[in-house]
């Protein structure tokens, strides 16, 4: 089984109510869904537990919605300051510009119990993914 990730759900999470981002959302789903599924163990991805599946689906949608919001932040006008006399209006910018609303972090945290171990991902002949900040294994 695979994750259920939909444009409708991503738009709901991100607070998008127009069709302006539909193409971008479809593109993000195409690029991110296999990456997220690759991190989940095969046993968990094939679960028949509907609650577990719902949790993983929510996490996948949160991760992609978080990426959408990060992209919006980088668009022209997405993080500009407006000054009217002595009043200054600034967008709230989180500590991490790549995840300004912490949706990606929440999604990955929600998926944590279902993820492959880093050694499974970084083993020779696997995906070639190496997690930054962790020591590499030597043979």
């Amino acid at each position: 089984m695979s994750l259920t990730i939909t444009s409708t759900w991503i738009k709901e999470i991100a607070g998008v109510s127009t069709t302006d981002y539909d193409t971008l959302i479809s593109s993000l789903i195409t690029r991110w869904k296999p990456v997220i599924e690759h991190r989940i163990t095969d046993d968990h991805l094939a679960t028949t537990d509907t609650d577990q599946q719902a949790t993983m689906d929510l996490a996948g949608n949160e991760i992609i919605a978080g990426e959408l919001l990060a992209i919006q932040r980088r668009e022209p006008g997405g993080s500009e300051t407006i000054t009217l006399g002595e009043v200054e209006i600034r967008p709230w910018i989180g500590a991490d510009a790549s995840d300004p609303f912490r949706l990606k972090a929440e999604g990955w945290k929600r998926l944590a119990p279902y993820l492959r171990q880093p050694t499974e991902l970084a083993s020779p002949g696997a995906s070639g993914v190496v997690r930054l900040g962790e020591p590499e294994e030597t043979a």
Side-chain angles (χ1 to χ4, degrees), residues 29-70:
I29 291 170
T30 300
R31 286 183 299 204
W32 275 89
K33 184 178 176 189
V35 172
I36 297 166
E37 288 177 343
H38 176 69
R39 291 288 317 275
I40 300 169
T41 66
D42 294 336
D43 291 343
H44 289 300
L45 204 52
T47 188
T48 57
D49 180 335
T50 56
D51 292 335
Q52 180 182 328
Q53 185 66 48
T55 299
M56 293 188 306
D57 290 345
L58 174 60
N61 281 280
E62 285 174 329
I63 292 166
I64 296 173
E67 182 63 19
L68 172 66
L69 291 170

Side-chain angles (χ1 to χ4, degrees), residues 130-136:
V130 177
R131 293 183 61 178
L132 299 175
E134 293 184 13
E136 291 184 35

Side-chain angles (χ1 to χ4, degrees), residues 12-99:
E12 182 181 309
I13 293 169
V16 173
S17 59
T18 67
T19 59
D20 297 349
Y21 292 96
D22 285 359
T23 301
L24 175 58
I25 292 169
S26 293
S27 177
L28 289 171
I29 291 170
T30 300
R31 286 183 299 204
W32 275 89
K33 184 178 176 189
V35 172
I36 297 166
E37 288 177 343
H38 176 69
R39 291 288 317 275
I40 300 169
T41 66
D42 294 336
D43 291 343
H44 289 300
L45 204 52
T47 188
T48 57
D49 180 335
T50 56
D51 292 335
Q52 180 182 328
Q53 185 66 48
T55 299
M56 293 188 306
D57 290 345
L58 174 60
N61 281 280
E62 285 174 329
I63 292 166
I64 296 173
E67 182 63 19
L68 172 66
L69 291 170
I71 289 169
Q72 287 177 327
R73 265 308 178 43
R74 294 188 298 266
E75 288 180 341
S79 59
E80 294 177 358
T81 300
I82 299 171
T83 304
L84 302 168
E86 294 182 19
V87 176
E88 189 172 273
I89 301 169
R90 292 186 218 177
W92 177 81
I93 298 177
D96 183 358
S98 68
D99 192 11

